[in-house]
Amino acid sequence: IPNSVTIIGWGAFSGCIGLTNITIPDSVTIIGRGAFSGCSSLKSITIPFVGAKAGVTSSDTYQYPFGYIFDTSRYDGGVATEQYYYGSSTSSTTSTTYYIPSSLKSVTVTSGNILYGAFYGCAGLTSVTIGNGVTYIGESAFLGCTGLMSVTVADGNTKYHSSGNCLIETASKTLILGCNTSVIPNDGSVTSIGDGAFYGCTGLASVTIPDSVTSIGYQAFAGCTGLTSITIGNGVTSIGLFAFSGCTGLTSIKFNGTIAQWNAISKGSFWKRNVPSACNVVCTDGTISISEA
């Protein structure tokens, strides 16, 4: 598609079953609904933004997710994918079931904002590349991307983002991070772990949260059944609802502060639901059993 193109219309490539790869230039500012519906052989796609149009921000309505360009019609090779996103309101989410090609494994987003739920439930994706034009990644952007093995951040992107079920560190070099190899930078740049940040990352074995982090969000590590140990910095003042719910493999929580500091942390209901009773919270001046924590 040449750089002279600015709009890809509704259903433009619908039913192109032989199409395997496509690159959409940054000149395109609108992609119509179902533009690639029925493209059952599509393996990779490069898009200038996620959704219907360029320039959409987290404060706007109709923050359409990735599935929008594939639409809601069934076709052979399409996987029903329920995606949650902000529609007519930004105070509560809505959901739509889109049919995304099962063959599609790789997506590159070159610019714009990757908003709440952008790739929600895209379990078939194995890799995502974040271009240096991407400046924001919202909560739950990769929630349910259980097949995602790597997130590659392009050279030149200097942001840090917590999102979906991967914490993405972007720097002046290319980094490949994913659910099984997640790193939280210890340079003061990360101050919170967002809602659902690592939700369902079953391959995640250990995490160290630096002292710069002050809050751990709702369901941040929920369902991380492979998580055996976690270190929490002494800057944390709040742990959200269900933050560690379902972490059935957790054997210890190390807290880089005193028992008094731990007790002063605001903890949401069921933050430790189904954490094994043998798990302890190890503070700098003593140990607390999880039942008392």
Side-chain angles (χ1 to χ4, degrees), residues 119-198:
F119 292 96
Y120 191 110
C122 293
L125 291 181
T126 59
S127 67
V128 173
T129 298
I130 308 298
N132 56 25
V134 174
T135 56
Y136 175 84
I137 300 176
E139 293 176 356
S140 301
F142 296 98
L143 185 60
C145 293
T146 55
L148 191 61
M149 297 302 295
S150 69
V151 176
T152 302
V153 182
D155 290 343
N157 194 324
T158 58
K159 303 291 183 182
Y160 291 99
H161 302 284
S162 176
S163 61
N165 61 351
C166 294
L167 185 97
I168 301 169
E169 179 185 353
T170 64
S172 57
K173 59 182 180 180
T174 298
L175 300 173
I176 300 176
L177 303 176
C179 298
N180 299 334
T181 55
S182 296
V183 176
I184 301 176
N186 188 23
D187 60 1
S189 59
V190 176
T191 58
S192 66
I193 306 298
D195 294 349
F198 294 91

Side-chain angles (χ1 to χ4, degrees), residues 10-11 14 32-38 66-75 79-81 83 96-101:
W10 178 87
S14 179
R33 181 167 182 161
F36 300 96
S37 175
F66 180 60
Y68 178 84
I69 62 175
F70 298 103
D71 210 2
T72 58
S73 300
R74 292 183 175 88
Y75 57 89
V79 176
T81 306
Q83 295 200 277
T96 301
T97 298
Y98 298 105
Y99 285 80
I100 298 175

